[in-house]
């Protein structure tokens, strides 16, 4: 029984059990509608409680139903029936009350929640808005400014914050929610008139709306839903029925739009990425009580913070005492900066730092369950470190490398336990970026992979599994884009123009700004006399990027880029010496030559089974490389554009894509078949 009702001393408790997250699918809605009508008609019932079994209250509408024909009682109608019920209806919330789940609670006359509950309207993250009255009822309960934060940003609030803002009426004990909800129900059984949220007035707050828009303009860039949410909440100052019509119109428009399709695709893609095809189901995750990190540089420090922040002690080793001290100081500074923004308490900062043990000797890692190496990106240096780690680490320990390019199998060969070796490729800043590329070597054991996926979830990362190849998924696809950006410079296109086309497309940064941020000197042979590539020419001139205040751009003290006459001269000189003649290039060509080769490389990655599925590639690019999520990721976007168009573009530009370019057979085949990349 998905929906069941029990009665006790005049209270009807309607309970929903629709695992895993009590999504408000059609069966739940119909069942709730019937149970509510029965309880309303039951003379022995004075009040009604709605609660859920399992790990959470309703986590929203059933996202899998979107785009399907609507069946049964619709959620807006169900919410209106709850609110119109002649008897008090109480929402008993545990776990999460999200989206349509919170809208059901808002339609109830009273709300009680456990202290650990989270409440929110994350629809905007799916390119939608609350479509069952949430944009009209929420501001009536907590005001326009507070409603904007919840609905347009999409992040949940705690039960404590909900109580303070009067979104809920009462907190309950973690194990006594149902009893306390029933007690509240009896308490209010005779209250009339019932507090119907839709009947409450809303005070207009134009100042809050414009301030909110201004404050989040950069964050909302390119997204359609946030503005629709703001418009709907502004409409809550109108009579309720009028506001609902505006909410519905905005909802239907967004639901039919491309952005919501892409964001819903990504919702499931991120969850799919956690699944490893063919993994031995009996492979159990290994214990993780103590972590070691080798290398106290930017990456090592950030990696260590992920574990300290969730209460796992870390041994941080760096053979250079100064680097070790500097690394620890940077970690404390980062924590304190987060605390200064109110996102951590000083107590939490101290608690995390107290779990850190810096040590100059590898021997300190002897009893670690997991050791992550984050030293200089050089294969010999890494092999040497792994050889030493293999001799000090306990036999069961997992040895991970944070390499972003190098061959994990070659590194694993130095260890007597290659099955316990894998890549854990964090992205900078490692304590912030959500993506974690889990690189499985030829010998990596299933239990080690299963452990890596659990670790990723515990430190709040989205893990994507990649097999070994040069640059794994993300960096391998980045390379052809960066090479084409350089090629366009050689043909006389200005750096700022290439970057403008790519940022107008929706990327946070263009290829050349990114190169300057990462360092033009990455992988440079350090011989200023040897000029073989444009990068060599720039590096020889000391233009290593932001770190030297100049690269493809010049940078001021605040690291703001500006076009550089010297860089342009160097590029023009270098190109001329190699026979390039400046030519007219359209923005369209710039976009195609930067993005289409990436898609082609993505198809090769799929064909070689380096990535399990196209959606994994999309998760890598949206969670780790700033690909705009409202475009779903490169493979999803290419499928929307049409693979025939991509192939035609690649064939048109083939002469300029370099000697290494070859069309992916998988791409050609799927294009010919009129298919996309999605299965
Ligand atoms: N619909 C369908 N499936 C869902 C779902 C949903 N709303 N939420 C989760 N699942 C599936 C998910 O795909 C996974 O499946 C399993 O449940 C466990 O999820 C009209 C328009 C609740 C915080 O956006 O944020 O209401 O992979 O791995 O980490 O206004 O799930 O096991 O096969 O994420 O513990 C608004 C979405 C909908 C919330 C739990 N609601 N869910 O996190 O588990 S739109 C949301 C979450 C709406 C109305 C509108 C999280 C969670 P599988 P999980 P978790």
């Amino acid at each position: 029984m998905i929906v069941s009702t029990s009665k006790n001393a005049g209270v009807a408790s309607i309970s929903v059990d629709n695992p895993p997250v009590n999504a408000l699918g059609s069966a739940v809605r119909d069942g709730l509608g019937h149970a509510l009508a029965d309880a309303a008609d039951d003379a022995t019932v004075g009040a009604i409680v709605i609660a859920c079994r399992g790990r959470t209250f309703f986590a929203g509408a059933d996202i899998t139903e979107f785009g399907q024909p609507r069946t049964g009682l619709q959620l807006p109608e169900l919410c209106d029936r709850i609110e119109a019920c002649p008897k008090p209806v109480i929402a008993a919330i545990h776990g999460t009350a999200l989206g349509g789940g919170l809208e059901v609670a808002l339609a109830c006359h009273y709300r009680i929640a456990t202290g650990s509950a989270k409440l929110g309207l994350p629809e905007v993250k799916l390119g939608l808005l609350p479509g069952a009255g949430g944009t009209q009822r929420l501001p009536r309960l907590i005001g326009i400014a507070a409603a904007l934060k919840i609905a347009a940003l999409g992040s949940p609030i705690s039960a404590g914050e909900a109580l303070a803002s009067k979104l809920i009426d009462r907190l309950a004990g973690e194990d006594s929610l149902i009893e306390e909800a029933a007690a509240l129900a009896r308490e209010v059984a005779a209250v009339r008139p019932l507090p119907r949220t839709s009947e409450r007035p809303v005070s207009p707050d134009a100042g809050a709306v414009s301030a909110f828009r201004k404050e989040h303009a950069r964050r909302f860039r390119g997204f359609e839903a946030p503005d629709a949410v703001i418009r709907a909440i502004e409409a809550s100052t109108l009579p309720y029925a009028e506001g609902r019509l505006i909410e519905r119109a905005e909802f239907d428009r967004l639901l039919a739009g491309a952005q919501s399709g892409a964001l819903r695709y990504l919702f499931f893609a991120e969850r799919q990425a956690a699944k490893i095809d063919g993994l031995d189901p009996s492979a159990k995750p290994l214990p993780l009580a103590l972590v070691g990190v080798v290398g106290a540089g930017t990456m090592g420090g950030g990696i260590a913070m992920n574990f300290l922040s969730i209460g796992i002690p870390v041994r941080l080793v760096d053979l250079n005492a100064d680097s070790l001290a500097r690394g620890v100081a940077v970690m404390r500074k980062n924590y304190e900066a987060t605390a200064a923004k109110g996102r951590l308490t000083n107590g939490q900062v101290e608690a995390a730092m107290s779990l850190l043990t810096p040590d100059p000797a590898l021997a300190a890692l002897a009893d670690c369950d997991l050791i992550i190496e984050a030293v200089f990106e050089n294969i010999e240096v890494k092999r040497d470190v792994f050889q030493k780690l293999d001799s000090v680490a306990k036999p069961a320990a997992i040895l991970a490398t944070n390499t972003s390019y190098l061959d994990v199998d070659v590194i694993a060969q130095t260890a007597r336990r290659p099955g316990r070796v894998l890549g854990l490729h964090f992205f900078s800043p490692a304590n912030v970026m959500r993506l974690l590329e889990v690189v499985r070597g030829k010998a990596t054991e299933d239990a080690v992979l299963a452990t890596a996926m659990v670790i990723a979830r515990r430190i709040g990362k989205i893990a994507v599994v990649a097999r070994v190849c040069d640059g794994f998924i993300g960096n391998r696809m980045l390379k052809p884009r960066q090479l084409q950006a350089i090629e366009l410079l050689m043909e006389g296109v200005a750096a700022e123009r290439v970057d403008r086309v790519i940022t107008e497309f929706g990327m946070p940064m263009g290829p050349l700004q990114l190169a300057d941020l990462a360092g033009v000197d990455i992988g440079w042979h350090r011989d200023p006399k040897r000029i073989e590539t444009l990068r060599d020419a720039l590096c020889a001139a000391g233009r290593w990027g932001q770190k030297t205040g100049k690269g493809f751009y010049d940078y001021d003290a605040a690291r703001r880029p500006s076009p550089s006459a010297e860089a342009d001269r160097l590029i023009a000189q270098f190109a001329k010496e190699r026979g390039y003649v400046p030519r007219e290039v359209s923005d369209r060509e710039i976009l195609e030559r930067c993005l289409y080769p990436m898609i082609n490389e993505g198809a090769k990655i799929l064909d070689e089974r380096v990535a399990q599925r196209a959606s994994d590639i999309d998760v890598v690019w949206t969670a780790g490389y700033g690909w705009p999520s409202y475009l779903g990721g490169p493979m999803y976007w290419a499928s929307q554009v049409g693979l025939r168009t991509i192939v035609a573009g690649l064939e048109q530009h083939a002469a300029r894509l370099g000697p290494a370019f070859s069309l992916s057979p998988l791409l050609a085949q799927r294009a010919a078949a009129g298919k996309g990349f999605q299965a």
Side-chain angles (χ1 to χ4, degrees), residues 20-21 23 55 59-64 66 75 96 98-100 103 122-123 126 128-132 251 267-268 271 275 457:
V21 294
R55 62 184 165 156
D62 186 333
I63 305 169
T64 62
F66 290 140
L75 194 56
T96 60
L98 299 175
E103 291 176 295
E123 287 88 340
L126 297 168
L128 297 169
L129 54 68
F251 181 85
F267 175 86
F268 291 112
R271 282 147 185 84
K275 302 178 175 120
R457 207 178 159 84

Side-chain angles (χ1 to χ4, degrees), residues 580-650:
Y580 282 80
V581 178
R583 53 182 284 269
E584 280 309 309
V585 180
S586 68
D587 284 4
R588 178 90 232 142
E589 179 177 343
I590 292 172
L591 189 75
E592 292 182 357
R593 284 176 55 189
C594 285
L595 300 187
Y596 289 8
M598 280 177 58
I599 310 294
N600 187 56
E601 201 62 33
K604 290 182 178 177
I605 286 171
L606 264 182
D607 221 359
E608 296 163 20
R609 311 242 8 98
V610 167
Q612 298 186 90
R613 47 191 87 90
S615 60
D616 283 7
I617 297 176
D618 289 329
V619 172
V620 163
W621 271 82
T622 49
Y625 290 79
W627 183 282
S629 55
Y630 55 80
L631 295 176
M635 308 310 273
Y636 178 89
W637 174 76
S639 304
Q640 303 297 311
V641 167
L643 299 189
R644 285 201 182 115
T645 304
I646 305 282
V647 169
L650 287 165

Side-chain angles (χ1 to χ4, degrees), residues 351-377:
M353 289 304 287
S354 70
L355 293 170
L356 178 67
T357 310
D359 199 299
L362 287 175
L365 305 173
D367 49 358
C368 290
D369 301 303
L370 164 70
I371 302 171
I372 304 174
E373 160 279 309
V375 301
F376 186 63
E377 188 77 339

Side-chain angles (χ1 to χ4, degrees), residues 25 176 193 218 225 247 250 306 311 356 407 501 537-538 560-561 637 652 664 667 670:
S176 56
R218 195 179 145 85
E247 175 190 276
E250 295 278 9
N306 286 301
L356 178 67
D407 190 325
V501 169
L538 289 168
R560 279 188 295 265
W637 174 76
Q652 181 196 345
S664 149
L667 173 55
R670 294 193 79 91

Side-chain angles (χ1 to χ4, degrees), residues 10 45-47 86-88 90 110 184-195:
V45 170
K87 300 172 181 177
I90 289 88
Y110 298 91
L184 172 59
R186 288 189 195 93
E187 224 178 281
V188 298
V191 170
R192 294 298 180 281
L194 288 168

